[in-house]
Amino acid sequence: MDGQRFGSALRVVRVERGWRQCELAQAAGVSDATVSRAERGRVEGMSLATLDRLARALDVRFDLLVQWHGGDLARLLNRRHSQLHESVARWFEALPRWTWVPEVSFSVWGERGVIDGLAWHPETRALLVMELKTEIVDVQELVGTLDRKRRLAPGIAEERGWDVRSVSSWVIVAESRTNRRRLAAHRSVLRAAFAADGRTMEAWVRNPVSAMSGLSFWPDSRQVSAMHIGRQRRRVRRANLPRFRA
């Protein structure tokens, strides 16, 4: 991240809003000295959490640019995400009476985005909105984004001719120590937003009679591939999801 550019942006927006440095410090929950250092671009040693609080206090969004071997990092991340999509899609294909549609884009009254996976159960008229994550970066954004997609989902489904009775959501997170650690740090928020774990969601998809919201970890895609998931009931049981323990 360019510290000078970040600091200049903070100062310009702060001045535009008519705030003094002490007022920004109070809003962000940091010291006056921290604000002064940040505005001068001296962000070395500051935590990402501190920088995020400063930006959020001014409604400023900042992004970190991470590079590795040119464009290899982007290709690596895309491959991991694609592998997760493929693993989840194969698992759903083994379930009876479900229709799985990946990467559903939408534009509703100016709200645009992509739903990672949309699943439809015509027998119960249950709609499932799925969010697939290989890396957890911002838990609050995750909750807010999925809530927005769930709200818009009935209209998106109607365009496909689906008469929705209930809308559920399921966040699937790639299994890793880092992801478990990050989610554990936000245990209360996540349990309030996603009451069900993987085992509960796995049982629910067999009889989706009511709305449900869950979050669970997904096994490494290489492990799932090794299971040779097929359409046989026995093999589906072998693909049980690890229970979410935040």
Side-chain angles (χ1 to χ4, degrees):
M1 183 182 69
D2 187 333
Q4 291 294 334
R5 185 175 182 181
F6 178 79
S8 296
L10 285 184
R11 180 172 52 80
V12 168
V13 176
R14 175 181 62 79
V15 172
E16 178 67 21
R17 298 188 64 166
W19 285 14
R20 295 174 295 172
Q21 285 188 342
C22 62
E23 291 173 316
L24 173 55
Q26 183 177 6
V30 300
S31 67
D32 294 2
T34 297
V35 174
S36 178
R37 281 184 55 206
E39 290 192 352
R40 284 181 283 134
R42 297 174 57 186
V43 298
E44 301 85 356
M46 290 188 183
S47 68
L48 290 178
T50 297
L51 299 178
D52 186 57
R53 286 199 297 270
L54 287 168
R56 286 178 180 271
L58 293 171
D59 292 327
V60 171
R61 176 179 176 179
F62 78 97
D63 295 312
L64 294 177
L65 178 61
V66 182
Q67 294 181 328
W68 178 70
H69 291 187
D72 288 350
L73 180 58
R75 287 192 290 271
L76 177 61
L77 293 174
N78 288 336
R79 186 174 74 232
R80 291 187 62 196
H81 199 253
S82 296
Q83 288 173 341
L84 180 59
H85 270 261
E86 178 64 20
S87 179
V88 174
R90 292 177 62 190
W91 189 82
F92 257 90
E93 287 175 359
L95 297 174
R97 298 182 297 277
W98 278 95
T99 298
W100 163 266
V101 183
E103 300 288 342
V104 179
S105 61
F106 62 87
S107 179
V108 182
W109 295 104
E111 295 189 88
R112 296 179 175 85
V114 177
I115 298 175
D116 288 337
L118 200 61
W120 169 243
H121 193 264
E123 183 178 316
T124 58
R125 293 158 53 195
L127 185 69
L128 177 61
V129 178
M130 301 191 72
E131 188 83 2
L132 310 184
K133 293 292 185 182
T134 54
E135 300 289 342
I136 295 298
V137 178
D138 188 329
V139 170
Q140 294 290 349
E141 183 180 9
L142 170 64
V143 174
T145 297
L146 189 56
D147 181 69
R148 179 173 65 96
K149 293 178 181 179
R150 182 170 176 167
R151 171 172 52 82
L152 298 174
I156 298 170
E158 186 178 355
E159 295 177 356
R160 295 176 174 269
W162 298 344
D163 182 17
V164 177
R165 175 181 293 171
S166 66
V167 181
S168 300
S169 58
W170 190 0
V171 179
I172 286 182
V173 181
E175 177 68 54
S176 74
R177 291 182 179 178
T178 300
N179 284 339
R180 283 191 175 273
R181 184 174 65 252
R182 288 174 178 171
L183 293 184
H186 300 274
R187 180 183 309 173
S188 298
V189 172
L190 291 170
R191 285 186 173 171
F194 312 110
D197 61 14
R199 293 177 185 271
T200 302
M201 292 303 298
E202 186 182 11
W204 176 85
V205 296
R206 295 192 177 95
N207 187 30
V209 294
S210 60
M212 186 70 69
S213 182
L215 182 150
S216 62
F217 290 99
W218 195 263
D220 185 280
S221 59
R222 291 167 295 183
Q223 297 174 1
V224 175
S225 297
M227 294 177 183
H228 301 290
I229 301 174
R231 293 184 178 277
Q232 298 180 14
R233 185 179 299 273
R234 181 179 180 182
R235 289 183 177 179
V236 173
R237 284 200 297 266
R238 291 180 64 191
N240 287 353
L241 298 178
R243 190 171 185 175
F244 172 54
R245 299 183 180 92

